[in-house]
Amino acid sequence: MTLNYLGFELLLIYYPFIKKREHSQKWAHLGALFTMSIYLVFIIVSLAYYHQDQLKDVIWATLTLWKIVDLPFVERFEYIGISVWLFMVLPNVCLGVWAASRTVKRVFGFRQKKVLVYILLIILVSCCFLDNRYRIDRFNTISSQIGFYIVYLYLPLLFIWQSIVYKVRSLNP
């Protein structure tokens, strides 16, 4: 489940750019509530439609659910579902790419626009290699494991390190 919840750590990158933090907190909570509501609806529908053993064998349960929708004016509803899903995924991808380029700029001092182009090229080339279900599943597993270690090891250690540095700086004027 780690892969589904990754992304909140990007707040560490773009939080300094938020002007009115107190006013934007409400919208951040509403966005999180909306996302969790979508996940909740999809899990309830999936659990209601599929049998427990059947759900283990289905590769993309949401896509399979969209295939059963039958509308007289739309022959393939899953195309509409995938298009709408793109609008849910695209902002997260854009924020992730921007955060990666911003981090490279801050750490190494490179120009952000050039780094952004290289990151987008790396993503484009990487997508060409994700051509079958096994490779996509392997990529998701590796991303989930890396994200797990970042969220549960790196961020707490970074917090402890920063707390120690601030205490040492306050002791030495």
Side-chain angles (χ1 to χ4, degrees):
M1 280 303 290
T2 305
L3 188 63
N4 291 333
Y5 292 105
L6 286 178
F8 71 89
E9 63 279 356
L10 293 177
L11 278 170
L12 297 173
I13 307 296
Y14 60 81
Y15 189 73
F17 293 99
I18 299 174
K19 301 283 185 209
K20 297 178 181 178
R21 294 181 176 107
E22 297 80 23
H23 300 291
S24 62
Q25 185 177 11
K26 173 181 80 170
W27 296 106
H29 288 296
L30 286 174
L33 178 68
F34 180 70
T35 303
M36 291 302 293
S37 301
I38 289 173
Y39 280 135
L40 184 65
V41 167
F42 275 114
I43 196 164
I44 289 172
V45 170
S46 296
L47 291 174
Y49 181 75
Y50 293 111
H51 187 268
Q52 184 177 3
D53 297 329
Q54 189 181 19
L55 195 56
K56 285 190 276 187
D57 297 329
V58 174
I59 295 175
W60 285 308
T62 306
L63 186 61
T64 307
L65 281 173
W66 286 337
K67 285 183 179 183
I68 63 168
V69 175
D70 188 24
L71 298 174
F73 53 90
V74 178
E75 190 171 326
R76 306 276 314 253
F77 182 76
E78 63 267 19
Y79 290 161
I80 295 172
I82 291 170
S83 301
V84 170
W85 203 260
L86 173 72
F87 289 113
M88 291 176 58
V89 172
L90 190 62
N92 296 323
V93 171
C94 291
L95 279 173
V97 170
W98 176 83
S101 66
R102 179 77 184 166
T103 303
V104 170
K105 177 188 174 189
R106 294 271 316 225
V107 172
F108 299 111
F110 298 134
R111 289 188 49 207
Q112 189 171 357
K113 286 185 181 181
K114 287 190 177 190
V115 172
L116 183 64
V117 170
Y118 288 125
I119 290 173
L120 290 174
L121 285 173
I122 290 169
I123 290 173
L124 180 66
V125 170
S126 300
C127 286
C128 294
F129 291 110
L130 299 175
D131 58 353
N132 61 29
R133 175 66 185 148
Y134 173 74
R135 289 182 179 172
I136 293 171
D137 192 40
R138 185 72 183 137
F139 175 75
N140 285 343
T141 302
I142 291 170
S143 299
S144 181
Q145 289 172 348
I146 291 171
F148 179 82
Y149 291 121
I150 286 173
V151 169
Y152 292 109
L153 286 177
Y154 177 69
L155 291 180
L157 289 175
L158 187 65
F159 174 73
I160 292 168
W161 177 258
Q162 184 182 17
S163 299
I164 292 170
V165 167
Y166 280 158
K167 287 189 183 204
V168 168
R169 283 186 185 170
S170 67
L171 293 176
N172 296 331

